[in-house]
Amino acid sequence: DRDVTGVQTCALPISRMFGDPTLKMEILRYCINLCEALPDLQGILAFAVQLLHAARNVVMLPPTHLSGPPSMSQEEQTRLFNTIKRTVGAATRLGQNHLLAEYWDDFLIRGIEPLDPQERSRLIMHSPQDLAAVTTPSTAIKKDPFIYSSFAKTKAKSRTNVVLTTGEMVYFAVILQNPFEFDVEIDRISLISEGCQFAASDHSIVLGHYCSQKFIMSGKPTVHGTMRITGCRARIRYCHERTFHIFSKQWHPEPIIKLKPQRSTTGSPGSRDPEQADKPASVSVKDPEPDILSLTVLHAQPMLSVTTSTLLQPAVMLLEGESKSFQIILHNTSTTASADLLLFTFQDSATTQLQ
């Protein structure tokens, strides 16, 4: 189902959970043949997509190894895809450009991770000890006297807590899956976000058959704040353009147990409760929850480069009691940001004494 905005939800229809898969596939094949004989182009596309849904043995491909191939041969999968392509081409020749198929995989996006920027543009997070050495040099920094303490609290590194900079290009590794044995041509795909403005770049890729592939996508944040990557907007060839959410966690639908109708409270074996007979069986299927990648976008940061240095080598040897002065000239290549803090650090055994 599609709403007025053209965005299709990713909830798995309950009708796909019931019935014999072999019987459903056979009925859908007859429906496709009937629509081709009429001809009914919209019916061909609808039943072809439903047949691809019914043929899937797994909803999400495992990230490490592939399992659960479709319940139809590779020749039939290719023939079914060619049927969709031929039907869309016939509709275009008849002037029905809006007649497209719905993409048959709601879990196209299996993960999005930001890539580390280049060494030159990478942000360096200063520790409180480094900043305290500049602000309060006379105050002693409290440290744990023990090398290892089991009571020390350590923060786990999270890939979602990535800091970006306004106006600088950022790259993401996007994992896409294709559970069928034919290639998928994506004419246009780009990242979508919320929270702050993000200029996403359009990409055109070809997703291989029956695999999970990693592609590099890019974009540029234009406003500082908290940005949340929610998925991708993709235009797949012969299909409607739609939004795909991120599903990185492995999920599979739970089997539904069909129960017999209960008898009436009177105890007569041949009678049924009319109230219970009129009520349809309610089945609750827990849909997978999409992931959201949260990122922090800072103001435009300065880019400093060393233009001149009086040191012949990037190292200085000092004896005890010896002093040496040198000059370094820095140049701010950024036109929008100014540097308000210069923190010099020394890698040496006497680092504490030098600071």
Side-chain angles (χ1 to χ4, degrees):
D1 298 332
R2 299 175 62 87
D3 54 13
V4 294
T5 59
V7 178
Q8 187 180 14
T9 58
C10 59
L12 196 65
I14 302 179
S15 59
R16 303 181 194 170
M17 314 290 294
F18 291 97
D20 184 12
T22 305
L23 181 60
K24 289 194 296 184
M25 292 173 59
E26 192 65 25
I27 293 176
L28 290 173
R29 291 189 183 98
Y30 284 118
C31 293
I32 294 175
N33 296 333
L34 180 62
C35 292
E36 288 180 345
L38 289 177
D40 183 5
L41 302 182
Q42 186 173 2
I44 295 174
L45 297 177
F47 289 121
V49 172
Q50 292 183 21
L51 182 56
L52 290 175
H53 277 296
R56 296 182 58 174
N57 291 328
V58 292
V59 178
M60 296 182 179
L61 294 179
T64 56
H65 61 278
L66 302 180
S67 62
S71 300
M72 61 175 64
S73 61
Q74 184 177 3
E75 291 77 9
E76 186 177 0
Q77 297 177 44
T78 305
R79 184 169 61 253
L80 191 61
F81 176 72
N82 292 333
T83 300
I84 296 176
K85 180 171 59 175
R86 185 174 61 253
T87 304
V88 173
T92 304
R93 289 191 298 269
L94 295 176
Q96 302 179 7
N97 298 327
H98 64 281
L99 189 57
L100 298 172
E102 296 291 345
Y103 188 63
W104 40 86
D105 185 15
D106 298 332
F107 308 99
L108 176 66
I109 311 298
R110 293 304 312 277
I112 298 179
E113 291 185 358
L115 298 179
D116 293 332
Q118 299 179 358
E119 187 69 25
R120 185 172 181 272
S121 59
R122 185 176 302 173
L123 295 177
I124 299 176
M125 306 299 293
H126 297 291
S127 61
Q129 289 80 4
D130 295 338
L131 298 179
V134 178
T135 55
T136 57
S138 59
T139 304
I141 302 175
K142 295 182 180 180
K143 295 183 179 181
D144 196 344
F146 300 99
I147 299 178
Y148 171 77
S149 176
S150 59
F151 300 100
K153 297 181 180 179
T154 58
K155 295 182 179 179
K157 295 183 179 179
S158 177
R159 292 290 298 173
T160 57
N161 191 16
V162 178
V163 179
L164 307 180
T165 305
T166 303
E168 293 186 5
M169 188 68 68
V170 58
Y171 297 90
F172 296 87
V174 183
I175 302 176
L176 307 180
Q177 75 167 14
N178 180 16
F180 294 98
E181 296 175 324
F182 53 82
D183 295 341
V184 175
E185 300 181 16
I186 303 179
D187 295 333
R188 184 176 63 254
I189 184 172
S190 59
L191 298 170
I192 57 175
S193 63
E194 59 183 18
C196 64
Q197 297 180 4
F198 180 74
S201 304
D202 292 334
H203 302 271
S204 177
I205 59 179
V206 177
L207 181 58
H209 62 279
Y210 195 62
C211 66
S212 296
Q213 284 184 264
K214 182 180 294 185
F215 298 92
I216 305 301
M217 300 184 187
S218 60
K220 182 184 297 184
T222 58
V223 179
H224 68 279
T226 302
M227 182 179 64
R228 294 179 296 274
I229 303 293
T230 59
C232 294
R233 185 78 178 177
R235 168 68 166 85
I236 302 172
R237 189 166 297 182
Y238 314 116
C239 299
H240 287 285
E241 183 178 2
R242 52 168 293 189
T243 299
F244 295 92
H245 299 282
I246 308 172
F247 295 98
S248 59
K249 299 179 181 179
Q250 197 69 16
W251 177 87
H252 60 86
E254 299 178 357
I256 297 178
I257 302 176
K258 187 176 181 181
L259 303 177
K260 293 183 178 181
Q262 298 179 357
R263 297 180 180 271
S264 61
T265 56
T266 57
S268 57
S271 61
R272 295 176 56 188
D273 191 355
E275 296 181 358
Q276 298 293 334
D278 295 338
K279 294 181 180 179
S282 59
V283 180
S284 59
V285 179
K286 185 177 180 181
D287 296 328
E289 297 180 357
D291 300 333
I292 297 178
L293 180 62
S294 180
L295 303 170
T296 301
V297 182
L298 301 180
H299 293 274
Q301 299 296 314
M303 184 71 69
L304 302 182
S305 61
V306 178
T307 58
T308 306
S309 175
T310 58
L311 292 176
L312 300 179
Q313 297 179 356
V316 177
M317 179 180 295
L318 295 177
L319 300 177
E320 184 177 358
E322 183 183 3
S323 63
K324 184 175 295 185
S325 62
F326 52 91
Q327 185 180 16
I328 297 177
I329 299 179
L330 303 177
H331 174 61
N332 187 3
T333 59
S334 175
T335 58
T336 58
S338 59
D340 56 357
L341 173 63
L342 294 178
L343 179 61
F344 295 93
T345 59
F346 301 90
Q347 301 295 329
D348 190 79
S349 59
T351 301
T352 306
Q353 287 78 1
L354 289 176
Q355 290 180 350

